[in-house]
């Protein structure tokens, strides 16, 4: 019996979320007295797979079939079910791929499934694990009633922890053939040179209080200085000021960075639903009564357009040392 | 194409969440119920595409697992424009039971839409589980849907970008934000017509839950916000480094 982590890759490269997942699987396996194994699907670059050894993974099972790059949920679930035949727990990333594959895998394995867990189980028997419910308004202690379990791990909830071990990479045949891949990807558009919002440790976000899309320049500048991702409230993406992929909140992305800057965001309950898991929230808003201040740790009652350049200067100074 | 849209019945997004005294169940007293936001957007988009492509979409059915009190939500979906509703008369105990109870009623549809999650338990599960039970492909992270030359075309969000994807029918799309801009609001005529549209109630098969909630907590109360003046940007940034240690 083992704990299996399905490590996502972006064109053969493992991102932070993959190493966080490896760290989580290692810690969970240790708690359960099991072995942590990683499964990777699709072609991988250079020595990417060996990197998993740094986070406690001693064995990697790799099916290099290039068709896995199509992200066909049904095929991936079938492949993982083969790899996980002997596993007790399978963990996946809480990204769109993980959300699409994990529930399918749970059905295949006869396993119970809990999504977006925020840490290690509080108890193994019974298997109790915490997750956010009611979009951030409560924490649920979810219990899985079956012998096998499938989980997705919420981003940035566990952290990346080094624990170097010797790693062996083994080719494995997942049993998927060309006929298992039925999706036809016609076009791919990449967002380049930017920090992935769901993975970002710092997020700089703007709301309707920023007034117009032109005013996003200082937001982007601050984000770039901090190595941060940019985000926005719903009306901002609805207006087309910013792309939909940046919309955070109940109906957008749910994020949990270490630091979240909210410029000109009122802090409506639906917005907070997506960002209240942030460790530290900084709000800049003209209105001292704005609900964002109830959720914020630090704040300035003032004009975001005036404060942003000051922040940029202060960060530049800090960086100079 | 026959389209099916899964409809979740969830507390209004502004609901103040409370639990019973033993913290084991959500307290529904005084709660307003709405269509799960993503399901409402999927329904809106399906209607837009049906109207724009004569004949491409033959019918739109909505389905929900729930007791009689969820009928108001289904009637609203009919008022928005769905042709027919199905209610499977059971408590939606967990995602696995919901998907299991839906599966026998989904076989005739070419295209099934499920929301990425329900805004109550944020489970991210019913849609993909149902697709697996039906052994049909699913596409996750769908933020766009159209019909071109009689075939459905989807936009999906992936890590680091987005893709245009086609799939053979039948297929299940897991829908997120972006698929439609604003949910459609029922017009008076729609509300009148909804009264006469079929709402079929079916008896559930047997299904056993695989998960449950042992307890709930409210998040710990936050300390008061530390406020700085408009001229004290530098002080705030320093506090982030030296006090909060996040810079
Ligand atoms: C079903 C449903 C789901 C929703 N989901 C989401 C979601 O996922 N995410 C989301 O964000 N919203 C969501 N909303 C919308 C939400 O209710 C709010 O309408 C939205 O968050 C408000 O965005 P905002 O704060 O940018 O804009 P506004 O409400 O317009 O607030 C702008 C703020 O900027 C301040 N301001 C103005 N000028 C300045 C200035 N110069 N300097 C500093 N501050 C200034 C104002 O005081 C105000 O507080 C949802 C709503 C519904 C009904």
């Amino acid at each position: 019996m083992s704990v299996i982590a399905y490590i996502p890759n972006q064109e053969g490269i493992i991102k932070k979320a993959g190493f966080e997942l490896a760290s989580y699987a290692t810690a969970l396996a240790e708690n359960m007295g099991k072995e942590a194994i990683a499964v990777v699907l699709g072609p991988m670059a250079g020595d990417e797979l060996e990197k998993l050894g740094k986070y406690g993974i001693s064995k990697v099972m790799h099916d290099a079939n290039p068709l896995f790059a199509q992200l066909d949920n049904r095929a991936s679930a079938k492949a993982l079910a083969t790899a996980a035949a002997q596993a007790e727990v399978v963990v996946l990333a809480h990204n769109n791929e993980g959300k699409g594959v994990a529930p399918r895998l749970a059905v295949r394995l006869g396993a119970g499934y809990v999504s977006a867990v925020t840490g290690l189980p509080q108890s193994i028997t019974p298997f109790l694990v915490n997750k956010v419910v009611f979009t951030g308004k409560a924490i649920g202690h979810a219990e899985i009633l079956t012998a096998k379990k499938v989980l997705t791990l919420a981003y940035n909830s566990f952290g990346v922890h080094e624990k170097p071990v010797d790693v062996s990479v083994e080719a494995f045949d997942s049993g998927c053939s060309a006929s298992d891949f039925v999706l036809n990807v016609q076009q791919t558009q990449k967002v380049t040179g930017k920090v992935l919002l769901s993975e970002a440790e710092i997020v700089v976000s703007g709301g309707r209080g920023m007034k117009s899309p032109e005013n996003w320049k200082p937001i982007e500048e601050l984000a770039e200085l901090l190595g941060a991702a940019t985000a926005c409230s719903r009306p901002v993406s609805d207006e087309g000021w910013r792309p939909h992929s940046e919309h955070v909140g109940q109906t957008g992305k749910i994020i949990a960075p270490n630091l979240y800057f909210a410029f000109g965001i009122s802090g409506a309950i639906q917005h907070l639903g997506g960002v209240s898991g942030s460790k530290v929230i900084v709000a800049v808003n003209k209105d001292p009564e704005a609900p964002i201040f109830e959720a914020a740790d630090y704040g300035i009652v003032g004009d975001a357009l005036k404060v942003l350049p000051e922040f940029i200067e202060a960060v530049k100074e800090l960086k100079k040392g | 194409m026959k389209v099916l849209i899964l409809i979740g019945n969830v507390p209004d997004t502004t609901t103040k969440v409370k639990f019973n005294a033993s913290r084991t169940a959500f307290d529904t007293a005084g709660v307003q119920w709405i269509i799960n936001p993503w399901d409402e957007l999927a329904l809106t988009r399906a209607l837009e595409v049906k109207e724009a492509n004569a004949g491409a979409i033959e019918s739109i059915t909505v389905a929900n697992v729930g007791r009689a009190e969820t009928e108001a939500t289904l009637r609203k979906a009919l008022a928005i424009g769905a042709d027919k509703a199905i209610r499977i008369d059971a408590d939606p105990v967990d995602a696995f039971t919901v998907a299991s109870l839906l599966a026998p009623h989904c076989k005739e549809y070419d295209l099934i839409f499920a929301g990425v999650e329900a805004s109550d338990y944020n489970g991210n599960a019913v849609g993909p589980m149902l697709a697996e039970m039906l052994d049909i492909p699913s596409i996750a992270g769908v933020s766009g849907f159209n019909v071109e030359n009689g075939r459905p075309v989807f936009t999906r969000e992936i890590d680091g970008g987005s893709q245009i994807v086609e799939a053979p029918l039948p297929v299940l799309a897991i829908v997120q934000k972006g698929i439609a801009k604003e949910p459609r609001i029922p017009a008076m005529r729609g509300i009148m017509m909804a009264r006469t549209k079929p709402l079929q109630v079916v008896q559930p098969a047997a299904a056993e839950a695989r998960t449950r909630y042992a307890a709930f907590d409210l998040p710990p109360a936050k300390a008061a916000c530390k406020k700085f003046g408009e001229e004290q940007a530098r002080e705030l940034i320093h506090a982030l480094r030296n006090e909060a240690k996040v810079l």
Side-chain angles (χ1 to χ4, degrees), chain A residues 207-209 211 233-236 247-252 264-268 270-271 284-287 290 302-305, chain B residues 13 37:
Chain A
R208 198 150 52 185
K211 304 274 186 341
S233 68
R234 173 169 165 170
V236 165
H247 156 199
V248 293
Q250 173 155 13
T251 44
I265 295 179
S266 62
Q270 297 93 349
H271 184 83
V284 179
N285 196 305
K286 276 214 289 225
D287 173 8
D303 187 340
L305 299 170
Chain B
T13 51

Side-chain angles (χ1 to χ4, degrees), chain A residues 74 104 131 134 186 298, chain B residues 120 122 132 135 166 243:
Chain A
R74 181 167 55 171
R104 299 193 70 126
K131 71 164 281 156
F134 295 95
Q186 298 192 325
Y298 296 91
Chain B
D120 46 9
N122 308 109
E132 189 65 34
D135 194 25
E166 269 195 77
E243 193 179 81

Side-chain angles (χ1 to χ4, degrees), chain A residues 206-211 232-236 238 247-253 260 262-274 284-292 300-306, chain B residues 12-14 34-35 37-38 40 177 183 230:
Chain A
R208 198 150 52 185
M210 292 300 296
K211 304 274 186 341
C232 68
S233 68
R234 173 169 165 170
V236 165
D238 283 353
H247 156 199
V248 293
Q250 173 155 13
T251 44
K253 284 201 172 76
Y260 181 74
F263 291 101
I265 295 179
S266 62
I269 196 157
Q270 297 93 349
H271 184 83
L272 294 178
V284 179
N285 196 305
K286 276 214 289 225
D287 173 8
E289 304 296 325
I292 190 76
I300 291 181
V301 178
D303 187 340
L305 299 170
K306 281 197 200 134
Chain B
D12 179 82
T13 51
T14 57
I34 59 165
I35 304 177
W38 301 273
E40 197 177 21
K177 161 78 204 268
E230 211 182 27

Side-chain angles (χ1 to χ4, degrees), chain A residues 89-107:
Chain A
V89 185
V90 188
V91 286
L92 296 91
H94 193 63
N95 58 0
N96 276 341
E97 187 193 7
K99 288 181 211 175
V101 173
R104 299 193 70 126
L105 176 65
V107 169

